[in-house]
Amino acid sequence: VAALREIVEQLGGELIGDAALRIDRIETLDSATPQAIAFLANPRYRAQLDTTAAGCVIVAPALRDAAAARGAVIVTADPYLYYARLTQWWAARTRAAVPAGIHPSALVDPSARLAAGVSIGALAVIEAGAEIGAGVSIGAHSYVGQGARIGAGTRLHARVTFHERCAIGERGVIHSGAVIGADGFGFAPSKSGWQKIEQLGAVVIGDDVDIGANTCIDRGALGDTLIGNDVKLDNLIQVGHNVRIGDHTAIAGCVGIAGSAVIGRHVMIGGAAMISGHLEIADHVNISGGTLVSHTIAKAGHYTGVFPIAENASWVKNAATLRQLHTMRERLRSLEERLPRTTATDDGPHDDDRDDKRA
Amino acid sequence: VAALREIVEQLGGELIGDAALRIDRIETLDSATPQAIAFLANPRYRAQLDTTAAGCVIVAPALRDAAAARGAVIVTADPYLYYARLTQWWAARTRAAVPAGIHPSALVDPSARLAAGVSIGALAVIEAGAEIGAGVSIGAHSYVGQGARIGAGTRLHARVTFHERCAIGERGVIHSGAVIGADGFGFAPSKSGWQKIEQLGAVVIGDDVDIGANTCIDRGALGDTLIGNDVKLDNLIQVGHNVRIGDHTAIAGCVGIAGSAVIGRHVMIGGAAMISGHLEIADHVNISGGTLVSHTIAKAGHYTGVFPIAENASWVKNAATLRQLHTMRERLRSLEERLPRTTATDDGPHDDDRDDKRA
Amino acid sequence: VAALREIVEQLGGELIGDAALRIDRIETLDSATPQAIAFLANPRYRAQLDTTAAGCVIVAPALRDAAAARGAVIVTADPYLYYARLTQWWAARTRAAVPAGIHPSALVDPSARLAAGVSIGALAVIEAGAEIGAGVSIGAHSYVGQGARIGAGTRLHARVTFHERCAIGERGVIHSGAVIGADGFGFAPSKSGWQKIEQLGAVVIGDDVDIGANTCIDRGALGDTLIGNDVKLDNLIQVGHNVRIGDHTAIAGCVGIAGSAVIGRHVMIGGAAMISGHLEIADHVNISGGTLVSHTIAKAGHYTGVFPIAENASWVKNAATLRQLHTMRERLRSLEERLPRTTATDDGPHDDDRDDKRA
């Protein structure tokens, strides 16, 4: 529980209304009670401002008057960012603190180096030579391999696997089930079958990186897999060996990135997209969910490749026709040749009618 | 081993043939031996009835005579359901019982409340304030967070992560590697990079829910992620924060469901489908595998969006042509204008020729 | 560190240049230093041979002279295979040995049978009746269920789940987070909801199989899920119940294979492909990444089904048009009928113009 006065003292913003009003939770506009604080960031929810029961609403300056007419308001330039900071402050006040120190059931190799304020959970295993920075929290059942390095303030939730010689910077978060540093997928064909290419590199991760549950980042074959600063990875993502991901890039769940792909900075990749190996994606590219990226994207922009959903009966007809699309183009060209344009607007052969093999 | 007499005593059905015949396994029609019982549920396997070596066959009434002509038969209205119940009875008779009590290596916080008949496996960790219902089984290496609630009769297999304050109802099953209650994927952009939106909600799961191996269900940002009763989730599924899934819905492996999607009751989603966020899927919708659902589906039915597979050389030609599809439509329209219909069947401009932006 | 002389003594090949040259790492051509050895296998990197700083280069006979002109060379028929074997030899020399014996914190049931030279990591759990072959290594936090069998020389990395009665052959590798033998996804509908079909089979895996991080292989419903010899599975793959995968098949990350699919030998499946259930894929088939295989593929070859990526604005237009593709075909046919061919080359109705429902 917090009074509105405390909130603006901590987080700033202009408060209009009863500074003593006590808030007991953060809610969305449509589910808020009079004891809740809510925020309006997306114009699509503007109408909810008139109907919400929230005790206080966080809005942008343009909505100051409309919001103040209904009750307490915090006015701020970026309500969504204010909401993010409010959740951080709220969580710090309300969540149970991670217990300090090493749980007696944890197994920490004597040669591991632990900085001040480290928390090691129940049954965690820390192998020889690992370096654990100040204020790091290692969850129950987590595993940190030989010579791995965990930067100050980083948190591994329960049941993380962080393999030998890999490194992560400061203030990172790794969620449960993530596997950092398993072998990349590399085999050479031979007469007697596949020959394993031992993966001699590691994974090197920057500062402020979040890694989702059950996400995998493979170690490099030669050289390292590199994840930049402020990269955000959702759950169940596969990052292949020797991939490089630039700073501030955010990737949604179920994405696969094949080996040696180079992803730029500030890239956004939607859920279940698939990135082929040995290609580059430029800075500030946005890939729609479900899209397969099969070649380099050299220019910033928004790219998509998804078969549109339809009622199944309609899809069956269109998909069947699609198998004949190339033939349809030939038939169309043939018709055009038999029915020549006769006016001055005739622009000759269609430029776009070449056999484009870039698909 | 069981005599046919025991099976029908337990599970019902009309037995024709030798009630003393002893069965030592359940098999498919094509692999069954004379000591096996098999079932015929799918008409497509009807021919196997004449060739199977099974000692007994479970069939629907329409096949009573054909089946009886070849040997022992159990006749029942729904052979597939009978088969399901037979496997349950069989498993209960033949599987090793889960050992009762708390394994001495498990770490159970003194403030956790355990009902009668609970089984806690080796090296499991149960945190403070957790509530474990009657007859619950927690597998080896599993983790149950602070204040989590596990309903009566639910089973967590080895190595499940069930985070703080999350809840599951009765008779559920969670398979190994599943992560319930990791943080949802929420960040607000700021000048200095992504700002984490702390995920303050939890995951609340109903009764009779099965959750597959390495599946992830994220906790809500504000409010909870909600899974209804009798929901069945296969392996490696991602369920984002604040998703709601209705009762009796079944979802196959590798599906991703983005944040705040609302899935109805009795929905079926095929493998590797991807559901975008902030949309609704009506009750009784069936989504084909591999389909991306990008907008609300308001009407029951079967929906698909998948590029049809073809030999690669054929695909290359069709995919290249597809990039020009909009241009082809223009060319087709141009041809139609130059070759006007002259008969009474002319039906004017094509209604479907508008520029449909709903894709 | 190794002298070139040692390398060719161990691995063969023709050495040209200073046999005493000492190498301290393996690198790619473009990042190699004078102390590194690199290889040239892909002709597309041929130009790097002239610019690399590598102290020694592994090449095929055709490039002997070009390579020798710049420094030390190892000439071998298959440079990529030579590289694979070099990484193996290098790893064996440089990696810390897995500690022999049973870690004191591991829980090994007295009825489990352990052959000579077994290594069991910290907090691993080995259940009753498990059989662990000679030289097997079981990583920290791994779980081996009742009656499971692990063949000689196989390695389970940290945190593998290998369930009861499943088996793997010799020289296998299973990476962290993999779950072998969770229940297949089987439920029968009933008036009161889904009825679980207990999964009575197991998973049986051949020799020389690699299984990636967080990959799942479900146990069979009746009969077993079967993985052949020398099968290579990348990370985050889902293999459903009663799937059969033939020898030497390699499958990239994020692939899903639904129940009872039968995959042949020497098949290659690209990342994020999805294989429907109850179908067959012939030997030597190559499936492109992102492709959904919805019906049996009876003939070797390369198959693809992916919507080509484009700038979003272009995709919107083409996808919208795609929804009308069947209608466009009708319009095209109508135009052809109104403008009949008049020459001797007229070949009558188009064979490919049937309503193909195979999509």
Side-chain angles (χ1 to χ4, degrees), chain B residues 118-344:
Chain B
V118 164
S119 168
I120 309 281
L123 302 168
V125 172
I126 314 290
E127 299 279 21
E131 298 180 29
I132 312 293
V136 163
S137 163
I138 307 283
H141 287 131
S142 275
Y143 176 84
V144 177
Q146 288 185 25
R149 302 192 308 278
I150 312 288
T154 286
R155 177 172 191 181
L156 274 58
H157 283 267
R159 204 180 309 287
V160 166
T161 306
F162 198 91
H163 279 292
E164 64 276 13
R165 296 187 293 109
C166 295
I168 183 169
E170 303 190 352
R171 297 172 302 278
V173 176
I174 308 182
H175 284 94
S176 301
V179 178
I180 311 303
D183 282 349
F185 194 61
F187 301 90
S190 80
K191 283 177 188 166
S192 61
W194 296 107
Q195 290 294 323
K196 181 169 175 68
I197 296 166
E198 292 289 340
Q199 306 290 299
L200 304 173
V203 179
V204 177
I205 302 169
D207 294 329
D208 301 298
V209 171
D210 283 48
I211 296 171
N214 283 346
T215 280
C216 300
I217 306 177
D218 281 349
R219 62 176 56 241
L222 304 173
D224 299 327
T225 303
L226 299 173
I227 312 295
N229 296 316
D230 197 34
V231 168
K232 305 300 178 186
L233 303 178
D234 198 357
N235 298 351
L236 288 166
I237 290 172
Q238 156 65 1
V239 179
H241 52 180
N242 297 99
V243 165
R244 306 205 310 256
I245 301 180
D247 298 346
H248 309 298
T249 283
I251 301 180
C254 306
V255 165
I257 305 177
S260 300
V262 178
I263 315 289
R265 295 158 49 95
H266 296 285
V267 171
M268 308 270 280
I269 302 181
M274 176 73 207
I275 316 297
S276 297
H278 296 275
L279 56 74
E280 295 188 26
I281 295 181
D283 296 347
H284 295 284
V285 162
N286 182 353
I287 304 291
S288 294
T291 294
L292 188 142
V293 181
S294 52
H295 55 77
T296 285
I297 298 180
K299 199 176 68 168
H302 181 190
Y303 297 83
T304 306
V306 175
F307 201 103
I309 185 173
E311 290 192 57
N312 188 66
S314 172
W315 172 81
V316 167
K317 287 196 287 188
N318 287 325
T321 310
L322 182 58
R323 291 169 178 275
Q324 308 164 15
L325 191 56
H326 191 60
T327 307
M328 282 176 64
R329 192 174 63 166
E330 298 300 323
R331 289 160 60 190
L332 186 57
R333 187 175 353 207
S334 166
L335 280 172
E336 286 169 335
E337 285 166 1
R338 282 184 282 152
L339 189 67
R341 283 176 180 274
T342 55
T343 72

Side-chain angles (χ1 to χ4, degrees), chain A residues 107 123 125 141-143 146 159-161 163 177 179 182-183 185 187-190 193-200 214 216 218 221-222 236-238 256 274 278 288 291-293 295 297 299 302-309 315-325 327-328 331-332 334-335 338, chain C residues 26-28 44-45 80-81 83-85 87-88 91 95-96 103 105 122-123 140-141 158-159 175-176 210 213-214 230 232-236 248 250-251 254 268 271-272 289-290 306-312 315 319 322-326 329 332 335-336 339-341 350 352-354 356-359:
Chain A
L107 300 172
L123 301 168
V125 172
H141 286 132
S142 275
Y143 176 84
Q146 288 185 24
R159 204 181 307 289
V160 166
T161 307
H163 279 293
V179 178
D183 282 349
F185 195 61
F187 301 90
S190 79
W194 297 106
Q195 291 294 323
K196 181 169 175 68
I197 296 165
E198 291 290 340
Q199 306 290 300
L200 304 173
N214 283 345
C216 301
D218 281 348
L222 304 174
L236 287 166
I237 290 172
Q238 157 65 2
M274 176 74 208
H278 297 276
S288 294
T291 295
L292 189 142
V293 181
H295 55 76
I297 298 180
K299 199 177 68 169
H302 180 191
Y303 297 83
T304 305
V306 175
F307 201 104
I309 186 171
W315 172 81
V316 167
K317 287 196 289 189
N318 287 326
T321 310
L322 182 58
R323 292 170 177 276
Q324 308 164 16
L325 191 57
T327 306
M328 283 175 63
R331 289 161 59 191
L332 186 58
S334 167
L335 280 172
R338 282 186 283 152
Chain C
I26 312 170
E27 278 285 6
T28 56
R44 130 165 112 141
Y45 300 122
Y80 195 57
L81 181 56
Y83 156 58
R85 292 194 167 125
T87 63
Q88 293 172 7
R95 283 200 188 137
H103 192 280
S105 67
L123 301 168
H141 286 131
R159 205 181 309 288
H175 284 93
S176 300
D210 283 47
N214 282 347
D230 197 35
K232 305 300 177 186
L233 303 178
D234 197 357
N235 297 351
L236 288 166
H248 309 297
I251 302 180
C254 306
M268 308 270 280
V306 175
F307 201 103
I309 187 171
E311 289 191 59
N312 189 66
W315 172 81
L322 183 57
R323 291 170 178 275
Q324 308 164 16
L325 191 57
H326 191 62
R329 192 174 64 167
L332 186 58
L335 280 172
E336 287 170 333
L339 190 67
R341 285 175 180 274
H350 288 272
D352 54 34
D353 199 25
R354 291 164 303 184
D356 186 338
K357 289 291 195 294
R358 291 172 303 170

Side-chain angles (χ1 to χ4, degrees), chain A residues 204-220:
Chain A
V204 177
I205 302 170
D207 294 330
D208 301 298
V209 172
D210 282 48
I211 297 171
N214 283 345
T215 281
C216 301
I217 306 177
D218 281 348
R219 63 176 56 242

